[in-house]
Every structure is written in structure tokens, then in C-alpha cells.
Amino acid sequence: QVQLVESGGGLVQAGGSLRLSCVASGIFFSLTGMGWYRQAPGKQRELVATITRDGSPNYADSVKGRFTISRDNAKKTVDLQMNSLKPEDTGVYYCNAGGTRTGFWGQGAQVTVSS
């Protein structure tokens, strides 16, 4: 059974930082591309960042230079370091394993950035 469990969300003021972590089980983690997506109220879920099994990152333009995705294959975790947060970064952040079409999703972590 595949499980993705996110942690680290919360409330922060604009300009602050948060770190999200996702621990995976039930998958061949080191062979799986991972990602973070977010969904703001009334909007569709969107890409934040992905990281290949080899560790190559990809970022949405809106977070480039502020967010960093990383993975630890030994611990089966994928983290998202979020700096210089803006109110528009508010939303539920979801961990993804294996892509959006046939992959798996975590339950989501709320991130709220106040102005």
C-alpha cells in the first residue's frame, strides 16, 4: 500500500520560511520521480516543483529562486524549502509520487501566508 505523508505546513507571515516534508512508503522510492503541487481556494491544482529520480529539479516560474526541492533516497523523503513566502503561495500543498496521471498523492498540508 502506497502512503505519502506530508508535514510542516502552517501559518507564516509574508517574507517568512517554511519547510515541507513528505515521507513515502510502499513504492520503489529511488526509482520514482517526486513532486510538490498546490491548490489555492477556487483554483486548480498546479505544479510547484518536481525532482527526478536522479535528483534533477524543475520549478514553476512563480517559485523559482525562492523554493528548493530535495530528496533523500535513504530516508524516502522529499522536502520543499520555501523562502520569501508571499500571500499568493497560500494553499494546500500535496506530495506526489510517479506523476499526475497514474501516480499517488498525499493528503495535503495547509500553508497560509499572511500579508
Side-chain angles (χ1 to χ4, degrees):
Q1 181 181 1
V2 178
Q3 280 194 316
L4 301 173
V5 180
E6 300 104 334
S7 61
L11 172 65
V12 66
Q13 288 188 332
S17 298
L18 282 174
R19 187 177 183 89
L20 300 178
S21 185
C22 171
V23 58
S25 59
I27 61 173
F28 288 105
F29 186 85
S30 62
L31 300 181
T32 304
M34 302 294 295
W36 286 96
Y37 294 75
R38 67 187 180 191
Q39 188 166 18
K43 295 187 177 180
Q44 289 189 332
R45 193 173 299 188
E46 64 178 5
L47 166 74
V48 176
T50 60
I51 188 166
T52 67
R53 60 185 184 180
D54 298 323
S56 296
N58 178 60
Y59 298 97
D61 288 342
S62 60
V63 306
K64 281 181 181 177
R66 300 188 297 122
F67 291 11
T68 303
I69 189 171
S70 61
R71 64 187 296 158
D72 185 327
N73 288 342
K75 296 181 179 179
K76 297 185 179 181
T77 58
V78 57
D79 291 350
L80 185 69
Q81 177 65 43
M82 303 183 292
N83 298 328
S84 303
L85 282 160
K86 304 175 181 180
E88 51 263 44
D89 294 318
T90 293
V92 179
Y93 283 67
Y94 296 92
C95 178
N96 172 271
T100 58
R101 291 189 177 184
T102 59
F104 303 91
W105 296 92
Q107 82 284 355
Q110 177 69 46
V111 171
T112 303
V113 185
S114 63
S115 57

